[in-house]
Amino acid sequence: MVTKIMVAEDNTSVFSCYQNFLSKDKTIEFIGHASDGDSAVEMYKRKNPDLMLLDLRLPKKNGLEILNELTNY
């Protein structure tokens, strides 16, 4: 079974680390990257990942606001 993962991270260096690490595991499918909170919520709803790596400090909406919104989704 493949695990679909998206990343919500505005720091390009941190995102690159995640991407490099995730690409080594063949059971993981990287399905997207959002660099702000609004994009993260929209992408999550559209792509329905199994797991989201979520930065707590993002532009537009912080990670806690995103969690709250998606909990009620």
Side-chain angles (χ1 to χ4, degrees), residues 49-69:
D50 298 311
L51 178 69
M52 176 169 51
L53 299 177
L54 178 60
D55 185 1
L56 290 178
R57 293 184 183 167
L58 288 169
K60 298 186 182 177
K61 282 185 183 158
N62 68 43
L64 296 176
E65 292 169 324
I66 294 167
L67 285 175
N68 187 47
E69 183 172 341

Side-chain angles (χ1 to χ4, degrees), residues 6 36-48 61 69-70:
M6 70 169 275
D36 65 66
D38 289 340
S39 298
V41 169
E42 185 274 326
M43 183 180 294
Y44 181 92
K45 290 178 178 179
R46 186 170 32 91
K47 295 195 173 191
N48 194 28
K61 282 185 183 158
E69 183 172 341
L70 294 177

Side-chain angles (χ1 to χ4, degrees), residues 9-20:
E9 175 62 61
D10 61 328
N11 183 310
T12 56
S13 297
V14 174
F15 169 68
S16 292
C17 289
Y18 286 144
Q19 189 175 30
N20 288 335

